[in-house]
Amino acid sequence: EVQLLESGGDLVQPGGSLRLSCAASGFTFSTYAMSWVRQAPGVGLEWVSAISGGGGNTHYADSVKGRFTISRDDSKNTLYLQMNSLRAEDTAVYYCARSPGASGTWYWDFWGQGTLVPVSS
Amino acid sequence: EIVLTQSPATLSLSPGERATLSCRASQSVSSYLAWYQQKPGQAPRLLIYDASNRATGIPARFSGSGSGTDYTLTISSLETEDFAVYYCQQRNDWPLTFGGGTKVEIK
């Protein structure tokens, strides 16, 4: 059974940093592209970042480019999102999601339950 | 950036009725369009990918159609568990983008 379990969400002050993790199980993690998608309270979905299977290619939304870094450790079956220079508008539930393939098929067939990141002083 | 506009924002229907949801792109997405369902407090669930392909385990009452810039999600006969918010998403170009959502509520 495919499972994605996010962790690391916590209250952080503006300008602060946080690292999110997503532990994957039930599939061959290294062969799948992965993404982070977020949802601000009461608002719709926003794609944040994506990484190809094997980690050779990464992509970012303009809203986080230069501040967030996506990475993966295939030996640990874990996806990461390093978030720096956090802003109030980054407040959201962050979902880890799997794409059905190593790259190119950028939609998401499995999602984690999300981790909340409130950014506030 | 490709902008996806969903309409209507809210659809008020009764169980058993047909639901028709629209997603219009600011430029062609070449049928690289997916639909998701989201219920309160839950993660989104993939329904349709590449405009018309049902994802694994999705009931046949869900269908997708369209091409170019205009796409439709149809629920042929609403079940009580179908009342939720629906999002479209394009993968034709970076950045990946979502529509603003359509809420299907019980009339």
Side-chain angles (χ1 to χ4, degrees), chain B:
Chain B
E1 171 175 322
I2 296 176
V3 176
L4 300 179
T5 302
Q6 292 189 239
S7 61
T10 304
L11 199 51
S12 298
L13 296 169
S14 301
E17 289 193 293
R18 183 184 189 89
T20 302
L21 288 66
S22 174
C23 178
R24 175 164 289 178
S26 58
Q27 63 190 75
S28 174
V29 297
S30 305
S31 296
Y32 292 137
L33 190 103
W35 290 93
Y36 301 85
Q37 176 193 68
Q38 188 179 34
K39 297 179 181 179
Q42 296 184 16
R45 177 175 72 144
L46 178 66
L47 300 174
I48 301 288
Y49 64 93
D50 292 350
S52 60
N53 299 286
R54 267 191 306 276
T56 302
I58 301 303
R61 64 181 181 273
F62 291 92
S63 64
S65 63
S67 63
T69 60
D70 292 310
Y71 298 87
T72 300
L73 174 69
T74 301
I75 311 171
S76 59
S77 179
L78 282 163
E79 303 280 345
T80 52
E81 62 264 30
D82 299 336
F83 291 93
V85 179
Y86 293 82
Y87 295 96
C88 57
Q89 174 248 327
Q90 66 81 22
R91 68 173 183 92
N92 186 64
D93 198 10
W94 301 100
L96 307 176
T97 51
F98 288 92
T102 290
K103 182 179 181 180
V104 179
E105 64 176 23
I106 299 177
K107 186 174 182 180

Side-chain angles (χ1 to χ4, degrees), chain A residues 35 37 39 43-47 50 59-62 95 104-109 111-114, chain B residues 1 34 36 38 41-46 48-50 87 89-91 94-100:
Chain A
S35 294
V37 176
Q39 186 168 36
V43 181
L45 300 166
E46 180 188 16
W47 168 75
H59 304 270
Y60 298 92
D62 285 346
Y95 294 102
T105 49
W106 293 107
Y107 54 86
W108 304 285
D109 58 356
W111 297 64
Q113 282 307 298
Chain B
E1 171 175 322
Y36 301 85
Q38 188 179 34
Q42 296 184 16
R45 177 175 72 144
L46 178 66
I48 301 288
Y49 64 93
D50 292 350
Y87 295 96
Q89 174 248 327
Q90 66 81 22
R91 68 173 183 92
W94 301 100
L96 307 176
T97 51
F98 288 92

